[in-house]
Amino acid sequence: MMQGIFWKYIRRCAVALLLAAGIFAVGLLSAIISLCIGVPLGLIAGYYKGIWETIVMRTADIFMSFPSMILILVLVSVIGPSVWTVTLVIGILGWTDFAKLIYGNVLSVREKEYVESAKAVGTKDIPLLIKYVIPNAFAPILINFTFRTAQAIIQESALSFLGMGVQPPEASWGNILYAAQSITVLSSRPWLWVPPGILLVLTVSGINFIGDGIRDALDAKTKIKKK
């Protein structure tokens, strides 16, 4: 009896582990979509200011004024739950963090002497942005990208747990946990819910630790303290 339970637990762990790549891909693609929308909008708002700043930042404020999970639930229920729907909706609604962050960095960088010098010698806007502004404003975006990936994984798992994310027969950690809600399963069949729960925690924690490591590596103050 105990041997049968042990092998069930091992098989469940293997299935949950195999899902890790797919769940990570959903989080990664969502973060890439958010980055591709938010960074250009934040660059435009921070560099050109004026009407562009007003439009982009007020739009970001409107998006951020709604509870993100409720908005995601509404859109997914209207469009229809699937892997691609969840990925696109989470990605599209996550652009505001990147836009706000790059906007603040560009506001600082655009006042630097090397940017003013480049403008004085006639460097056009796009080459100036590519060569001087983006490289000096992009480091915090890399850090935020890792945190956004972890957040997207949590959102996908939450949606699947609520029955609005990845739909059976496709599997995700969220709908595995959803299928194990009964008291009987929770108390007598831990191999059904422990592996996906542990892997979800480990994956999100690991991605956050990577983000912390990138932040420490790029932080000049941390480097000075180590010396």
Side-chain angles (χ1 to χ4, degrees):
M1 179 68 178
M2 289 302 296
Q3 187 176 5
I5 293 174
F6 173 77
W7 284 112
K8 284 181 181 179
Y9 186 81
I10 293 299
R11 283 197 297 270
R12 200 70 179 184
C13 286
V15 171
L17 190 60
L18 287 172
L19 289 173
I23 303 301
F24 180 75
V26 170
L28 189 64
L29 284 173
S30 298
I32 290 172
I33 293 169
S34 300
L35 183 143
C36 290
I37 297 172
V39 169
L41 291 176
L43 275 172
I44 292 170
Y47 185 76
Y48 292 105
K49 300 186 76 173
I51 186 67
W52 293 109
E53 179 184 27
T54 302
I55 292 172
V56 173
M57 290 299 103
R58 296 299 75 77
T59 303
D61 290 339
I62 291 170
F63 270 79
M64 295 176 75
S65 66
F66 292 98
S68 60
M69 184 53 72
I70 294 176
L71 192 56
I72 291 170
L73 278 170
V74 170
L75 290 175
V76 169
S77 64
V78 170
I79 300 170
S82 70
V83 175
W84 292 110
T85 300
V86 170
T87 302
L88 288 172
V89 169
I90 292 175
I92 291 170
L93 294 181
W95 68 273
T96 53
D97 290 340
F98 290 105
K100 290 274 188 179
L101 186 58
I102 196 72
Y103 165 75
N105 293 337
V106 170
L107 284 179
S108 175
V109 171
R110 74 191 296 272
E111 304 299 332
K112 301 293 185 182
E113 291 181 358
Y114 54 83
V115 175
E116 295 295 335
S117 301
K119 288 180 181 178
V121 299
T123 306
K124 295 190 179 298
D125 289 343
I126 293 178
L128 191 149
L129 284 169
I130 294 173
K131 190 174 181 180
Y132 297 104
V133 176
I134 294 176
N136 292 287
F138 203 74
I141 296 298
L142 294 176
I143 301 166
N144 193 66
F145 180 82
T146 59
F147 296 142
R148 180 61 201 165
T149 301
Q151 186 180 7
I153 291 173
I154 293 173
Q155 288 176 327
E156 184 281 324
S157 297
L159 287 171
S160 296
F161 181 77
L162 295 171
M164 296 302 296
V166 178
Q167 299 295 301
E170 295 176 326
S172 81
W173 291 330
N175 62 24
I176 290 175
L177 293 171
Y178 173 77
Q181 288 187 82
S182 70
I183 298 298
T184 303
V185 172
L186 290 174
S187 59
S188 62
R189 299 178 183 174
W191 61 85
L192 293 177
W193 56 270
V194 170
I198 290 174
L199 284 171
L200 178 59
V201 171
L202 291 177
T203 301
V204 172
S205 299
I207 294 171
N208 285 330
F209 287 143
I210 291 171
D212 288 336
I214 295 172
R215 180 185 59 197
D216 292 342
L218 297 175
D219 190 352
K221 293 180 180 178
T222 304
K223 292 179 181 178
I224 291 171
K225 287 179 181 178
K226 287 182 178 178
K227 289 180 179 179

